[in-house]
Amino acid sequence: MILRPLLSSVVSLSLLAQSPAPQPPAGPANLFVRGFPESEQASQMERERKARDMAQAERIRTYMERMSGEPHHAGSPGSRAVAEYAQALFREWGLDARIETFEALLPYPTSRQLDVTAPTAYRAKLQEPVIPEDKDSADVGQLPPYTAYSPSGDVTGQVVYANYGNQEDYETLKKAGVDVRGKVVLVRYGNGFRGVKPKIAAQNGAIACLIYSDPKDDGYYRGDVYPKGPFRPPQGVQRGSIMDMAIHPGDPLSPGWASEKGSKKLGREQAKTLVRIPTLPISYGDAAPILRAMGGPLTPESWRGAMALTYHMGPGPAAVRLKVDFDWSVKPVHNVIAVIPGTQFKDQWVILGNHHDAWVHGANDPLSGASSLLETGRVLARLVKSGWKPKRTIVLCLWDGEEFGMVGSTEWVEKHKAELEQKAVAYINTDSNSRGTLGVGGSPAFEQFVGNLLRHVKDPGTGKALAETPQRRANANGLRLSPLGSGSDFVSFLDHAGIPSLNLGFGGEGGGLYHSVYDTFTAYQKFGDPDFSYCRALTQLTTTMAMRLADAPVLPHEFGDLTKAVRSYVEEIQKEFPNADLKEVNRQLTRLSTASRAFDDEIRGVRRRSQAISPEKLTKLNQALMKTERALLLPQGLPGREWYKHQLYAPGLYTGYGVKTLPGVREALEAGRTEEAAQQAANVAKALRNCAAQIEEAASLLRGI
Ligand SMILES: [Zn+2]
């Protein structure tokens, strides 16, 4: 993943007080598998159970070992080799698989140099040393630590320490009388997307940005460092993209259209997502000599890390010279796409995806998820061989270029947008996966669907159904899917194409090897998921999801949860901005609520009467349901970022990964632009009205049955 999730963003999952009992199947009105008639439930359950039993941890381990053997960053021969390996596996299992190649601006560093020039000379190492216990750390072909999309440059200046580099940190500096204009800003990783740090630094007049990993955030303060433990060693560095993905993800030179050989491209100077000042990530080993030589005011306590030194703001007397150069060539990205054709509704696609590119070896990020998805492919292929044919088409995708800015998935969505608008049912995304608790985020219309599913898949830690784990039962209000911001390949599907999306994975136990050369097979086996039971559980989850979504005669959408979710977004805004005029939004919310209830009544009616629905009517009904999320998009998009079309969700312009709900309204209010907020509220109302109309259409189709 591009952005590392904070523990707090990892979900509030919980289960359902007022929903049916977990022992299926109960009475006749029990919708334990939403979308299925009683008559089909038992056989569906049995087939799903068989599929889950087929998933093998040992195989997932093998895929990971193979794919993590050599560095495989996007654009490299290693990445191509991984794509070909995955394609060959899919084909060996009997699936139709192809590689779809796009191209994008993927800068690699050609020279990196950082010198402390005052008060005492020091040359930064900028290298992650070989660790004898981990042979992969010595591999050739590693992309050295850097932040992708930093401009080339050679600058010298005094240093200012700016904590996490968020807007409020600059307010604190200003109050302390510290001016960052013309200075090199040193910030630490954490508390927001890394790309936001140089963006804000540049807006405040800084000439360069250094981002280091403080041991307090993911080093020795948290636990033993690698290889003894999973935390970041002194010279470990977090690589990563600093593309301004809140404007648009994907190739910076082709916003909104697919970047292929010979396609139209912007000049680099026209690109809107490139950072303006030279930026480099460094280790705390390299940051210590700079911080130790800082003077000026003492920092507030919350700014201090865990190094044995006194944290000062500066400016200076420490001064540095930063010199970085990049190869700005356009390079290929290779997506692997495997298709299991549907029978009854072949033009309705259930899409699953995980990226395959890594910063270096990427055992955890992304191969834990990618290997689990490959196993999902093998299990589904075996079912097909044994005679199962899904009603809907299942598309399995392994994306390239995610680390640079969701490049492979974005170009793919842009290329196939018209077809996806017609055919996509849902997109299920996975990424890094390791021991820990399950996190699930996504479209609220699928809350019931996911809640049901968690009763049938076991938590490897407790051996009980995932729905039964303590953190899930704690909250009696039901399963809540956290709204999606950014950070992995679901962004284009949800925000640009209006495809309802889910993002899921186990984890949360932390570690500091993220985007370092030490995210290896050796480290993953020791600290990630030693017996691969959590990877197997992920396979079981995505396999069950794919089968249910593919075979449910009626798609499992439920709109009461959507209404509830939107109402909570509106209330949050109203609480923070009591003067905001959201009357029209509330009016449309009432309509949405009425439509949701009408739809549910009709579904219950059809069920009660055990009515058969003709295939033509089913197709129409499902098509209407597929359009409900699309209806939440507006063609003009959000202010200043028209690529983002969804009116309910977008990554924040100044958080980068964190979601902003009702983003047009919220960001206008936060910036004090009242007129724009009113305009945006009208847009949200319009999107809600469109969505309600779509649900009403689905309800009336049911009524006509
Ligand atoms: Zn990543």
Side-chain angles (χ1 to χ4, degrees):
M1 62 190 85
I2 291 177
L3 318 154
R4 149 182 250 194
L6 289 181
L7 279 176
S8 62
S9 74
V10 176
V11 214
S12 40
L13 257 214
S14 54
L15 212 73
L16 298 152
Q18 59 286 63
S19 70
Q23 299 87 2
N30 182 355
L31 310 190
F32 83 91
V33 180
R34 207 181 158 84
F36 288 89
E38 296 292 324
S39 57
E40 288 180 33
Q41 291 194 1
S43 57
Q44 175 70 23
M45 293 289 293
E46 181 53 22
R47 191 164 45 244
E48 288 176 2
R49 196 190 51 72
K50 265 196 205 140
R52 288 193 292 272
D53 286 347
M54 285 179 202
Q56 291 175 19
E58 198 47 48
R59 285 179 186 266
I60 302 174
R61 182 201 301 270
T62 306
Y63 313 142
M64 180 190 285
E65 186 170 17
R66 272 292 302 270
M67 294 191 287
S68 66
E70 299 299 329
H72 56 107
H73 46 275
S76 72
S79 182
R80 194 193 172 98
V82 165
E84 285 169 352
Y85 169 74
Q87 183 193 31
L89 279 181
F90 282 132
R91 287 184 170 172
E92 186 189 313
W93 299 327
L95 299 182
D96 168 23
R98 62 180 185 273
I99 291 180
E100 276 190 58
T101 299
F102 295 90
E103 57 177 31
L105 184 69
L106 303 178
Y108 294 168
T110 50
S111 80
R112 305 164 305 130
Q113 194 179 311
L114 175 67
D115 288 300
V116 180
T117 54
T120 316
Y122 169 79
R123 170 152 291 184
K125 296 194 174 70
L126 310 182
Q127 290 295 345
E128 299 178 289
V130 172
I131 288 182
E133 293 90 328
D134 189 340
K135 62 172 176 48
D136 282 331
S137 64
D139 280 346
V140 292
Q142 296 171 14
L143 211 44
Y146 79 114
T147 38
Y149 303 104
S150 157
S152 302
D154 181 355
V155 297
T156 302
Q158 281 196 322
V159 178
V160 169
Y161 172 57
N163 192 30
Y164 290 115
N166 292 324
Q167 281 169 319
E168 59 269 24
D169 296 323
Y170 288 89
E171 293 302 315
T172 306
L173 285 171
K174 206 174 275 169
K175 276 187 207 130
V178 178
D179 189 352
V180 300
R181 281 176 299 179
K183 304 291 191 292
V184 174
V185 163
L186 174 65
V187 298
R188 56 172 163 158
Y189 266 117
N191 229 348
F193 170 44
R194 78 180 74 71
V196 169
K197 299 168 192 280
K199 173 174 163 177
I200 300 176
Q203 286 169 356
N204 281 278
I207 54 168
C209 182
L210 299 170
I211 314 175
Y212 84 102
S213 302
D214 196 281
K216 189 160 192 179
D217 298 305
D218 66 3
Y220 57 70
Y221 183 85
R222 302 274 315 278
D224 287 320
V225 304
Y226 198 62
K228 193 174 173 207
F231 290 93
R232 199 176 297 275
Q235 297 298 336
V237 187
Q238 181 187 141
R239 290 156 187 73
S241 175
I242 51 173
M243 178 198 285
D244 195 352
M245 292 170 235
I247 303 296
H248 67 83
D251 178 29
L253 308 183
S254 66
W257 66 91
S259 174
E260 297 174 278
K261 233 179 188 58
S263 66
K264 173 178 85 167
K265 284 187 176 51
L266 303 178
R268 239 163 73 202
E269 67 295 338
Q270 294 167 283
K272 287 186 182 158
T273 58
L274 302 181
V275 175
R276 283 167 29 219
I277 54 173
T279 301
L280 194 69
I282 61 174
S283 65
Y284 63 81
D286 278 338
I290 305 173
L291 282 166
R292 209 169 280 131
M294 298 286 288
L298 278 183
T299 63
E301 203 170 324
S302 62
W303 285 35
R304 299 173 197 169
M307 283 193 274
L309 55 89
T310 307
Y311 288 72
H312 289 269
M313 292 177 177
V320 297
R321 177 180 179 196
L322 174 67
K323 190 171 175 302
V324 281
D325 243 308
F326 301 93
D327 152 19
W328 287 95
S329 62
V330 163
K331 301 177 180 75
V333 292
H334 308 287
N335 297 328
V336 187
I337 311 289
V339 179
I340 304 173
T343 48
Q344 192 177 348
F345 310 114
K346 77 171 185 349
D347 287 339
Q348 296 178 12
W349 297 354
V350 175
I351 307 165
L352 291 86
N354 195 110
H355 70 103
H356 70 72
D357 66 302
W359 278 117
V360 192
H361 303 90
N364 180 49
D365 178 8
L367 296 177
S368 52
S371 304
S372 303
L373 185 60
L374 279 173
E375 184 63 356
T376 298
R378 189 189 67 86
V379 167
L380 294 174
R382 260 192 69 187
L383 286 175
V384 169
K385 274 205 173 137
S386 68
W388 172 66
K389 290 191 174 65
K391 291 194 178 88
R392 294 189 177 82
T393 295
I394 298 174
V395 185
L396 300 160
C397 311
L398 285 168
W399 310 117
D400 200 353
E402 188 268 358
E403 294 294 2
F404 282 81
M406 283 84 78
V407 170
S409 59
T410 300
E411 300 311 314
W412 193 81
V413 167
E414 288 173 345
K415 168 150 183 164
H416 300 286
K417 194 164 172 236
E419 194 173 14
L420 287 167
E421 269 164 10
Q422 292 305 312
K423 299 183 179 174
V425 166
Y427 175 65
I428 297 162
N429 189 70
T430 54
D431 201 323
S432 308
N433 189 65
S434 59
R435 270 190 304 218
T437 51
L438 176 69
V440 193
S443 301
F446 282 143
E447 264 174 19
Q448 302 279 330
F449 169 72
V450 176
N452 274 327
L453 190 112
L454 297 186
R455 295 184 196 153
H456 304 290
V457 183
K458 286 195 182 98
D459 183 306
T462 62
K464 290 186 183 157
L466 280 161
E468 290 296 299
T469 54
Q471 78 272 20
R472 242 140 255 148
R473 280 190 309 187
N475 178 352
N477 296 326
L479 171 89
R480 279 287 162 266
L481 295 175
S482 46
L484 294 178
S486 182
S488 195
D489 290 301
F490 52 79
V491 174
S492 296
F493 288 90
L494 181 65
D495 295 342
H496 190 61
I499 299 163
S501 299
L502 293 167
N503 183 46
L504 64 152
F506 292 91
E509 292 191 356
L513 304 179
Y514 172 70
H515 288 191
S516 79
V517 74
Y518 311 117
D519 178 3
T520 58
F521 186 60
T522 304
Y524 191 79
Q525 279 199 303
K526 226 164 142 186
F527 304 113
D529 182 16
D531 63 1
F532 288 75
S533 59
Y534 286 86
C535 285
R536 179 169 184 261
L538 185 64
T539 297
Q540 293 176 323
L541 270 169
T542 54
T543 303
T544 312
M545 274 183 182
M547 292 173 74
R548 271 190 201 179
L549 280 175
D551 276 346
V554 178
L555 288 171
H557 294 69
E558 196 281 331
F559 303 102
D561 290 327
L562 174 67
T563 312
K564 243 183 277 170
V566 180
R567 185 164 289 134
S568 74
Y569 312 151
V570 173
E571 281 164 3
E572 272 166 37
I573 290 183
Q574 202 76 75
K575 208 166 137 195
E576 227 176 297
F577 304 97
N579 296 327
D581 179 4
L582 299 172
K583 275 195 287 299
E584 187 54 23
V585 172
N586 277 315
R587 238 167 53 89
Q588 296 306 329
L589 203 46
T590 306
R591 181 171 167 189
L592 187 69
S593 170
T594 310
S596 311
R597 257 177 292 146
F599 176 74
D600 251 21
D601 287 346
E602 297 300 336
I603 283 271
R604 266 195 294 272
V606 169
R607 216 168 241 287
R608 203 170 37 240
R609 301 188 297 272
S610 300
Q611 266 174 299
I613 311 178
S614 73
E616 298 72 42
K617 281 185 172 161
L618 265 184
T619 303
K620 269 189 131 171
L621 172 63
N622 286 321
Q623 278 169 347
L625 289 171
M626 283 159 65
K627 286 187 197 144
T628 53
E629 188 93 29
R630 249 72 106 205
L632 292 163
L633 308 189
L634 290 181
Q636 68 267 37
L638 297 174
R641 41 176 175 160
E642 65 278 9
W643 186 93
Y644 281 92
K645 312 281 186 204
H646 208 299
Q647 298 300 304
L648 301 188
Y649 310 106
L653 277 170
Y654 287 95
T655 54
Y657 65 61
V659 65
K660 292 274 173 176
T661 52
L662 313 187
V665 180
R666 179 168 270 285
E667 293 201 318
L669 289 169
E670 282 170 356
R673 296 189 295 264
T674 327
E675 219 165 281
E676 183 186 307
Q679 177 53 47
Q680 290 301 308
N683 287 354
V684 169
K686 190 170 170 194
L688 292 176
R689 195 181 64 214
N690 294 346
C691 182
Q694 201 54 52
I695 298 169
E696 285 158 9
E697 191 195 320
S700 81
L701 284 167
L702 278 168
R703 210 168 297 131
I705 286 163

